[in-house]
Amino acid sequence: MAVRIRFAPSPTGYLHIGGARTALFNWLYARHHGGIFVLRIEDTDLERSSSEMVEGILEGLRWLGLAWDEGPFFQSQRLPLYQQACEQLRARGTAYPCFCSPQELESRKQASRESGSAWQYDRRCRDLSPAAVEEKLRQAQPHVLRFRVPEGRTVKFSDRVFGPIEVASESVEDFVLLRSDGRPTYHLCVVVDDVDMKISDVIRGADHLSNTSKHVLLFEAFDQPLPNFAHLPLILGTDKKRLSKRHGATSTLEYRKQGLLPEAMANYLALLGWSPGTDRELFSVSELVSLFDLDRVNRSNAVFDPAKLEWMNSQYLGSVAAERLAPEVKRLLQEAGLWNESWDAGGRDYFLTAVDLLKTRTRRLSDFVEFGRAFFTDDFNYQQEAVEKYLRPSPQLISALSELRAAYAGLKPFTLENTERVLREIADARAVKTGSLIGAVRLAMTGKSVAPGLFDVIITLGQEKTIQRLDRLLNFLASAPALKS
RNA sequence: GGCCCCAUCGUCUAGUGGCCUAGGACGCCGCCCUCUCACGGCGGAAACACGGGUUCGACUCCCGUUGGGGCUGCCA
């Protein structure tokens, strides 16, 4: 049987981490089995759905590289299909109109709660006489359509992750299929659509595990075979509560904004609830596709750990080619107003070298802008703590610096070896600790006490800029005698 | 409350009755490398929720307890 799977988000919220993981698992499963990945937007609750949310969800999926083969289909545009399905059920007697108003229901629910018993729809309208129903209908009494849950049944299905599940039909209530305004509900739509779209495997969050018994009953009512079900354990926040807006940046797109690489995100998400069974943790997307399958999906919920995600991102940042990072860094620099057009042309090599130097020291893309500022502009300040640490202006330091400046100005091949040799010689000759001199020069070059290897920085910046920056530091020292010594 | 599900280091996980004095990863701590930081390398602290069974033998199987999660909407 052809593998056809679907991701069916509801546009009542953004694509959060849990949704992204569900989408990823669906996508991986489809790719692994050479199947079709259908995207379906479940927007039957139109008050709470919005096109902005839809766009955000699509954007999130695109960012993660989860291309869909069919859709997006919108349930709001398939209403006739659901109406027709309802008529079918009605004709077969497996659905009935219910005239209880929300208020009535609420008060009865309240009453039963106060008496200490568990509430479930009391089926008051389940067995109204045909005449009574007709009369109420003629009076245009508002009503919903409910599913007639069979009695004395054990609903069974086998979940690919959770195994065999059995539920007594008594614990399933006569749920609503059609709202009083005629719009269908989720339970009806999923089943109708999964049948219509010939979905072979339903892979979704475990929050739907209990709902599945309703769906199984519906499939049966339509005389349709069950798809395979696979429920994914939920992703929880650090407080072990289900992930929600409350937990900060849970929108997937928010992570893009924070400088995450989509491949790192996908890699991290793949390992939440699934394991390849080996000690390896870093996988390319194509490796994930070939390794992934449902049989190694866990049953227990997982806590989302931002620290590990960030670590994984740093692994990708450090190992990926500078060319891959270039467009991302460019975007960030443009936003920061630091982008120089020449870096797309003659200055390309310089730009890529800078990216290479910085990438093992970054955990997020945004670090390129802050941590790497001195590579992209002359407009940087001397970090206060770096000044305090490396600029105790002793006569030796100052004369060593000016000697270095002079030596660098005349250095013929301005290479890594030469710049380092010269500096060390001067430090020795002036009885200045090499580390101190290096620290001071690093401050001159970057304004910071932390940076890539000094001589890498120097030869990347080039002779001219190196000298300019040494001059700037010398001026600073000359005009700042107030520094504590 | 009722129904369903889950339970290995703080977190993600490996483990499928003896290979476990429980392995890996993140985070944390120490050391090495070293011009700082990062990378990398080495080492350390850190877990089978509890109680009963079953078995020659349980992290692994069964039952119970506890804890956690989900559903219980004219949300999805």
Side-chain angles (χ1 to χ4, degrees), chain A residues 143-161:
Chain A
H143 64 279
V144 300
L145 189 70
R146 284 184 186 272
F147 183 73
R148 184 187 301 271
V149 172
E151 290 173 294
R153 278 277 320 278
T154 299
V155 185
K156 298 179 186 172
F157 64 95
S158 180
D159 191 273
R160 291 259 262 144
V161 172

Side-chain angles (χ1 to χ4, degrees), chain A residues 250-268:
Chain A
T250 50
S251 163
T252 306
L253 255 13
E254 185 62 26
Y255 288 94
R256 173 176 70 178
K257 204 186 291 174
Q258 289 186 4
L260 272 276
L261 248 21
E263 47 269 58
M265 189 73 193
N267 193 157
Y268 176 73

Side-chain angles (χ1 to χ4, degrees), chain A residues 187-201:
Chain A
H187 298 302
L188 204 229
C189 296
V190 231
V191 173
V192 170
D193 279 345
D194 285 344
V195 168
D196 184 63
M197 297 174 182
K198 300 182 165 52
I199 299 303
S200 61
D201 301 82

Side-chain angles (χ1 to χ4, degrees), chain A residues 60-74:
Chain A
L61 293 175
R62 286 189 208 104
W63 178 62
L64 283 168
L66 308 182
W68 52 94
D69 304 303
E70 294 180 16
F73 299 110
F74 293 82

Side-chain angles (χ1 to χ4, degrees), chain A residues 347-392:
Chain A
R348 182 75 177 171
D349 284 347
Y350 167 80
F351 180 60
L352 292 178
T353 304
V355 169
D356 263 325
L357 245 31
L358 293 165
K359 69 183 193 183
T360 55
R361 284 160 249 261
T362 49
R363 290 177 79 80
R364 296 165 175 235
L365 285 165
S366 51
D367 293 338
F368 281 94
V369 177
E370 288 134 44
F371 179 70
R373 182 169 237 270
F375 283 97
F376 307 118
T377 176
D378 291 323
D379 179 24
F380 60 85
N381 296 320
Y382 293 155
Q383 211 174 44
Q384 189 53 36
E385 64 239 59
V387 169
E388 282 164 14
K389 193 168 177 190
Y390 290 111
L391 288 190
R392 307 290 172 97

Side-chain angles (χ1 to χ4, degrees), chain A residues 233-252:
Chain A
L234 265 19
I235 299 179
L236 312 178
T238 317
D239 55 1
K240 299 224 181 191
K241 288 282 163 48
R242 195 177 167 185
L243 226 38
S244 75
K245 305 96 223 171
R246 229 107 51 88
H247 294 83
T250 50
S251 163
T252 306

Side-chain angles (χ1 to χ4, degrees), chain A residues 1 19 34-35 38 54 69 73 79 225 231 251 266 310 324 383 476:
Chain A
M1 182 179 171
V38 179
V54 172
D69 304 303
F73 299 110
L79 266 22
H231 288 87
S251 163
E310 190 172 77
R324 162 71 185 89
Q383 211 174 44
F476 176 78

